[in-house]
């Protein structure tokens, strides 16, 4: 654990137990009798709630047709051209994601998660209905729009868990929920590949199966418990030592009364942004936020267009020889393993962060070049699996490095801001190189652009790493000399005293 993280953990408890000065003293005697029911009422049944949420997360990932959307659109069943899919349909996903990200982020907290999860299920159903019945470009563009909503609504599931369990259960609950999602993605990809390769199931039938799972997911979402509190806007009353539950934001401004807006000076986001002013100066926060913004933008662009690249390298009319599901399953499994392994790496991140990011980014740039130049589809598959797993390796490290020195409200805000800037960057790149109103590049030139993009990032990271290491090496001798100064002063005093005694003698 980082020293900064330990400092925060040591400083937080006293702030939580500080009694409110404005509270009448006569309420204090009643608080001990009210203490026991509070945690019991709040935490009661958390295991069942956690199990149900994980089951919901698992089931909503069962979309066996998702790995085969591009082959389906390019097949004789829909007969769209590669230019239509690359330059007219797929770019809409980036635009819609950017347009709905901030509203969904705000509504998730204000509506307390459950309505946004229901919206996500309805959007998933719309995606598969449009895939099944849509026959023109406009319909498929709407399909991408609804897919963007489902992506933006993922924040509701990832943050929902923290409102159901006590803070002592956060780490375990987050691990369970993430594992359930990864297992759902893995099983979905395996199921889709087995249906296509072994059973010879048509792509349209896979779409109907996916629609069935999404309808079941909608039913599950209706029975989710709606929390009484959330991170930003909603503040629940609970029986704690001081009688009132205070969030981290209330501690920033104890006079705030809550609600959508309590005046400009007391607004939630103004207070959060003022708090962020001090945290953005933290070097670790800066470097990992920049990684989140720039690398995730390139990662998702690759993800959106890689199926088109596979079809370009290995065009086939035999559905049994399309292995997209198996490749997605392998990349998900290896990504989960690398994410798990990243939690056990113990190095001095303040010194080596830039170097680790630079090396991984350079590795990803090489994989992009390999994917784009090879004529062997299996080499391209392997490069794709390694690319995704290398990105997933850095995700948990970035999450810990960003979250280790701030409250959970500010942490959520930082992740939201990083994701928003990454989405803007991704949209700008899409408009320039992929959209038909821009350069409208085909998939191979696009991947050359992505290779150049990651190469530039790798060079910048490695230059930054060299600068950090050189500066550290220069400061190390100075620190050593300063540490030895008191010892030298003491020795000089002893010598001086000796000479004085001898002269007197």
């Amino acid at each position: 654990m980082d020293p900064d993280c330990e400092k925060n953990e040591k400083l937080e408890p006293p702030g939580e137990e500080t009694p409110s000065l404005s509270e009448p003293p006569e309420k204090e005697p009643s608080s001990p009798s009210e203490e026991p029911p509070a945690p019991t009422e709040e935490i009661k049944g958390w295991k069942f709630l956690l199990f149900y949420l994980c089951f919901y997360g698992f089931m909503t990932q069962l979309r066996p047709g998702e790995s085969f959307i591009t082959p389906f659109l390019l097949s004789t069943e829909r007969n769209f051209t590669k230019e239509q899919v690359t330059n007219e349909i797929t770019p809409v996903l980036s635009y819609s994601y950017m347009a709905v990200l901030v509203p969904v982020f705000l509504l998730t907290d204000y509506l307390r998660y459950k309505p946004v999860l229901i919206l996500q299920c309805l959007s998933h159903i719309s995606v598969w209905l449009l895939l099944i019945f849509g026959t023109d470009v406009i319909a498929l563009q709407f399909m991408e729009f609804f897919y963007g909503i489902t992506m933006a609504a993922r924040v509701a599931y990832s943050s929902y868990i923290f409102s159901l369990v006590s803070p002592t259960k956060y780490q375990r609950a987050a691990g369970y929920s993430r594992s359930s999602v990864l297992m759902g993605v893995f099983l979905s990809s395996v199921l889709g590949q087995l249906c296509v390769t072994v059973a010879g199931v048509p792509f349209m039938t896979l779409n109907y199966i996916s629609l069935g799972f999404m309808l079941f997911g909608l039913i599950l979402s209706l029975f989710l418990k709606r929390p009484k509190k959330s991170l930003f806007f909603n503040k629940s009353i609970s029986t704690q030592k001081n009688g009132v539950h205070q969030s981290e934001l209330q501690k920033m401004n104890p006079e705030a009364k809550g609600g959508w807006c309590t005046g400009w000076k007391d607004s939630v986001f103004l207070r959060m942004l003022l708090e962020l002013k001090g945290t953005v100066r933290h070097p670790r926060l800066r470097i990992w936020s920049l990684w989140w913004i720039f690398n995730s933008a390139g990662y998702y662009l690759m993800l959106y267009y890689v199926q088109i690249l596979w079809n370009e390298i290995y065009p086939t009319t035999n559905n049994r020889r399309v292995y997209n599901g198996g490749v997605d399953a392998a990349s998900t499994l290896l990504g989960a393993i690398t994410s798990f392994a990243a939690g056990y790496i113990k190095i001095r991140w303040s010194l080596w962060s830039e170097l680790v990011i630079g090396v991984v980014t350079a590795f990803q740039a090489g994989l992009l070049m390999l994917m784009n130049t090879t004529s062997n589809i299996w080499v391209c598959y392997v490069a794709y699996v390694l690319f995704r797993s290398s990105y997933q390796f850095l995700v948990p490290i970035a999450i810990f490095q960003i979250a280790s020195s701030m409250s959970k409200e500010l942490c959520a805000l930082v992740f939201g801001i990083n994701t928003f800037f990454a989405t803007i960057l991704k949209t700008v790149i899409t408009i320039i190189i992929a959209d038909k109103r821009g350069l409208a590049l085909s998939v191979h030139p696009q991947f050359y652009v992505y290779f150049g993009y990651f190469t530039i990032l790798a060079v910048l990271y490695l230059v930054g790493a060299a600068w950090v290491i050189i500066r550290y090496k220069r400061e190390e001798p100075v620190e050593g000399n300063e540490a030895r100064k008191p010892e030298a002063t003491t020795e000089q005093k002893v010598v001086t005293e000796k000479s004085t005694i001898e002269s007197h003698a």
Side-chain angles (χ1 to χ4, degrees), residues 220-237:
L220 291 178
S221 69
L222 298 176
F223 294 96
L224 288 168
K225 177 183 175 181
R226 192 179 184 188
K228 295 180 180 179
K229 62 180 181 178
S230 56
L231 291 179
F232 302 134
F233 296 108
N234 302 288
K235 302 173 179 68
S236 65
I237 302 300

Side-chain angles (χ1 to χ4, degrees), residues 20-28 241-244:
S20 175
L21 297 176
S22 61
E23 190 176 295
E26 56 267 24
K27 288 186 180 180
E28 290 181 4
K241 187 172 182 179
N242 60 353
V244 180

